[in-house]
Amino acid sequence: MPEVESLARFLTQKCVGHAIARIDLAAFSALKTYSPPLSALTGLEVEGVSRHGKFLDISAQGLHLVFHLARAGWLRWKDSLPDAPPKPGRGPLALRLRLDDGSGFDLTEAGTQRKLAIYVVADPMAIPMVATLGPDPLSDEFDQTALADLLQSAGRAQLKGVLKDQRTIAGIGNAYSDEILHAAKLSPFKPANSLTDTELAVLYRAMKDELADAISRAEGLAAADLKSEKKSGLRVHGRKGEKCDVCGDTIAEVSFADSSLQYCPTCQTGGKKLADRRLSKLLK
Ligand SMILES: [Zn+2]
């Protein structure tokens, strides 16, 4: 989500005040709504760019172009887009949006998974995944009491899953949940309702700090550079086998839900390796 927040700020500077000259859809399956059509945005002036969790929202005179980039999706800004419309169905391009000055962006998705989702709506709350988002950890209302309440109501669910669940807290994904738990020195498998007051305070601080740091690192970077900045700024996520820069232990990995998580045994789990519960389930 810090990357999405940075993209929202970047697009605010680039797009607000400009009219949308044309939109071309190259990957038809990415568009999840059909009424109003994409072409209804043509000619409208961009009034604002905001974020709902990991969804970006470009608002233009009563209509909203909302998109979720998913794991392999990205936005590529171009100060000057080619004049010819893109050819549909080939390559990573999903959508091209051109502004009245010839600048604009491509939404692309690498690989074969088709997870990138685009919506045209009069009200973003018409998108069920936006309407059911939990509180945003960057908002002013998200104080330590709010975190305490939602961890209590999550019961014995594991912290890792709770932080990642968009309906509980909006915008923290696989990477930053690993980073936050590492900074807070908490086991990803710890039950959500079992934190002491001190642990709660540390988790709250880690959440605010990790997200704010990531946003400030990304501040001012062009959209193309955001992904590499994200990678270089992470301390545990995706760094299995590397040394923890806090304690020097080797960063470990364990399966979690449909992917895997990385953590530091010394910092987070009293030196113990977490058991792969999916595997132990299969063996039973
Ligand atoms: Zn460590």
Side-chain angles (χ1 to χ4, degrees):
M1 171 268 274
E3 293 72 34
V4 183
E5 175 67 22
S6 303
L7 271 180
R9 296 180 187 184
F10 175 84
L11 288 176
T12 300
Q13 291 169 13
K14 295 285 190 184
C15 299
V16 170
H18 285 284
I20 297 170
R22 65 179 290 164
I23 303 189
D24 294 295
L25 185 66
F28 295 107
S29 64
L31 185 63
K32 306 302 177 192
T33 52
Y34 58 91
S35 177
L38 208 45
S39 59
L41 288 159
T42 309
L44 302 185
E45 186 183 313
V46 176
E47 293 166 326
V49 183
S50 58
R51 177 182 63 81
H52 313 283
K54 295 190 253 183
F55 290 80
L56 270 168
D57 175 357
I58 297 179
S59 86
Q61 298 182 295
L63 283 184
H64 297 257
L65 176 69
V66 178
F67 48 92
H68 186 282
L69 293 167
R71 203 169 295 177
W74 200 236
L75 182 148
R76 289 168 208 283
W77 178 263
K78 303 223 170 83
D79 287 330
S80 175
L81 281 170
D83 288 328
K87 292 193 183 85
R90 285 270 176 91
L93 183 69
L95 176 141
R96 175 168 291 165
L97 183 148
R98 188 185 173 92
L99 296 171
D100 53 8
D101 65 352
S103 70
F105 60 80
D106 286 346
L107 294 184
T108 61
E109 186 171 32
T112 51
Q113 282 195 323
R114 292 284 168 251
K115 294 268 178 73
L116 184 134
I118 302 165
Y119 311 81
V120 182
V121 286
D123 177 3
M125 291 304 144
I127 303 165
M129 282 175 69
V130 172
T132 57
L133 284 170
D136 193 297
L138 289 178
S139 70
D140 294 336
E141 298 85 64
F142 193 84
D143 56 13
Q144 196 171 310
T145 313
L147 178 63
D149 289 348
L150 64 86
L151 290 180
Q152 273 310 317
S153 43
R156 297 199 53 81
Q158 295 166 331
L159 277 179
K160 169 73 179 179
V162 172
L163 293 188
K164 257 178 64 170
D165 185 348
Q166 300 301 301
R167 292 161 302 179
T168 308
I169 304 175
I172 298 176
N174 200 27
Y176 286 101
S177 53
D178 282 354
E179 295 301 307
I180 289 165
L181 290 169
H182 176 253
K185 294 188 156 55
L186 287 169
S187 168
F189 287 176
K190 197 173 174 61
N193 64 1
S194 72
L195 270 63
T196 64
D197 287 349
T198 313
E199 286 172 332
L200 177 72
V202 171
L203 178 62
Y204 179 74
R205 205 58 264 159
M207 191 178 280
K208 287 277 188 181
D209 289 350
E210 289 296 312
L211 297 174
D213 284 358
I215 290 168
S216 70
R217 282 198 305 271
E219 203 78 38
L221 287 177
D225 299 326
L226 285 170
K227 269 218 162 151
S228 56
E229 173 54 40
K230 172 179 177 178
K231 265 216 165 120
S232 64
L234 300 177
R235 280 180 303 190
V236 279
H237 184 75
R239 296 195 182 277
K240 177 194 176 191
E242 296 180 34
K243 288 219 178 314
C244 170
D245 63 8
V246 175
C247 72
D249 193 5
T250 304
I251 291 163
E253 178 175 271
V254 65
S255 300
F256 185 83
D258 58 349
S259 64
S260 57
L261 65 85
Q262 288 83 39
Y263 66 102
C264 168
T266 296
C267 286
Q268 297 175 257
T269 55
K272 276 190 237 127
K273 284 272 171 73
L274 295 172
D276 187 335
R277 303 190 178 192
R278 291 192 310 184
L279 190 63
S280 36
K281 248 179 215 158
L282 286 174
L283 294 173
K284 260 177 206 164

